[in-house]
Amino acid sequence: MTDQTKQASYIPFVGRTFLAAIFLMSGAGKLAAPVATMDYIAAMGLPFPVVGLAAAIGVELIGGVLLVLGYQTRLAALVLAAFSIVTGLVFHSAFEDQNQMIHLLKNFAMAGGLLQVAAFGAGTFSLDAHRTTRLAGSAV
């Protein structure tokens, strides 16, 4: 493996970690302030804030961990991309407010990065790659 190839193999891991960071931090924030999160969900007119809170925490924390580990990466990336688009449209749809527009575009940009991960996979440093290599070795 050349130095350039070795360096390039780290890039998907770093990218996945950067993408996962916002979900992990957001999920942890929801755990730390569940009442505030449920109030925000209710203020947006959504039913069942407790269910919404639990679903958001689950998607963000589980999806974020799966993304960092590179396990079931394509599926995790697709779920997080859909979550980013839906939450952006629901919670940041006040287009006349520049701050809300920036948050919406941030969600779309995250979804775009996640769709790249879904399309191209986790890369070398991932449990998915380790599992594929191990399965290929046992088939010989």
Side-chain angles (χ1 to χ4, degrees):
M1 185 180 278
T2 68
D3 283 342
Q4 186 176 13
T5 305
K6 196 180 295 184
Q7 288 173 346
S9 64
Y10 290 102
I11 292 172
F13 170 72
V14 172
R16 291 191 333 264
T17 302
F18 284 172
L19 283 166
I22 195 163
F23 295 104
L24 294 171
M25 294 295 295
S26 183
K30 287 173 179 62
L31 277 175
V35 174
T37 303
M38 288 187 291
D39 288 347
Y40 187 47
I41 292 169
M44 299 309 292
L46 297 175
F48 313 113
V50 174
V51 175
L53 172 69
I57 290 172
V59 168
E60 290 176 335
L61 292 181
I62 294 169
V65 168
L66 291 175
L67 203 58
V68 170
L69 296 176
Y71 183 73
Q72 296 292 318
T73 311
R74 292 176 192 261
L75 177 61
L78 286 171
V79 169
L80 289 170
F83 180 81
S84 296
I85 292 166
V86 169
T87 57
L89 291 171
V90 170
F91 293 100
H92 305 299
S93 61
F95 304 127
E96 65 282 354
D97 180 346
Q98 185 178 9
N99 185 46
Q100 290 300 311
M101 180 60 77
I102 290 168
H103 283 292
L104 176 65
L105 294 174
K106 174 226 8 141
N107 279 44
F108 286 177
M110 291 184 328
L114 289 160
L115 290 173
Q116 289 287 308
V117 172
F120 296 106
T124 304
F125 294 104
S126 67
L127 291 176
D128 287 346
H130 177 72
R131 185 181 58 187
T132 302
T133 302
R134 197 180 78 226
L135 289 174
S138 67
V140 177

